[in-house]
Amino acid sequence: MTKRILAVDDSKTMRDMVSFTLKKAGFDVAEAEDGKAALNVLTGGKFDLIITDLNMPNMDGISLIKSVRAGSQHRTVPILILTTESDGAKKADGKAAGATGWLVKPFNPDQLIATVNRVCP
């Protein structure tokens, strides 16, 4: 069965690159431009993984993770943060919010696929 992944990033270019990489590897990908849009997409179905940016308008990645972890439907879904931030404090915030892992932009496509396969077998 094809794994469904939600890619959340306010940069259309970054969403396109993540989507292209994941679709080429055989995943089904949905996209959202910020945390609020992501929550709307999540209400429409089941997802196996969420990949989110950290810094976005309307609702940032940490707030999105907290909302997902507080809900019931996707509470256990792995969440990867894909961001330009590499600050230890930000990573700690992400982990505290419930993030499964952390990837730094620009991402290596092979590394992204390997990480996705590891957290979403």
Side-chain angles (χ1 to χ4, degrees):
M1 188 165 133
T2 306
K3 300 280 186 192
R4 288 193 77 205
I5 299 175
L6 175 58
V8 188
D9 201 304
D10 56 323
S11 160
K12 172 142 178 42
T13 305
M14 185 53 64
R15 283 196 315 271
D16 288 349
M17 288 191 319
V18 170
S19 271
F20 176 78
T21 301
L22 295 171
K23 285 177 180 174
K24 208 168 84 173
F27 296 99
D28 178 17
V29 183
E31 298 178 17
E33 67 274 5
D34 61 41
K36 279 193 171 157
L39 291 176
N40 287 336
V41 172
L42 287 168
T43 60
K46 181 185 177 310
F47 286 87
D48 299 293
L49 175 68
I50 300 166
I51 299 174
T52 183
D53 186 17
L54 199 57
N55 301 309
M56 298 178 288
N58 300 318
M59 180 186 277
D60 68 5
I62 299 289
S63 300
L64 170 61
I65 293 167
K66 287 178 179 172
S67 290
V68 170
R69 293 295 182 234
S72 58
Q73 189 182 3
H74 295 93
R75 187 172 52 234
T76 60
V77 171
I79 302 174
L80 295 175
I81 297 175
L82 178 62
T83 181
T84 54
E85 300 274 354
S86 56
D87 179 54
K90 292 276 191 198
K91 285 184 180 179
D93 290 347
K95 196 163 187 57
T100 309
W102 191 280
L103 294 164
V104 177
K105 295 177 191 172
F107 68 91
N108 170 314
D110 294 334
Q111 182 191 11
L112 176 66
I113 298 303
T115 304
V116 167
N117 284 325
R118 195 167 58 246
V119 300
C120 187

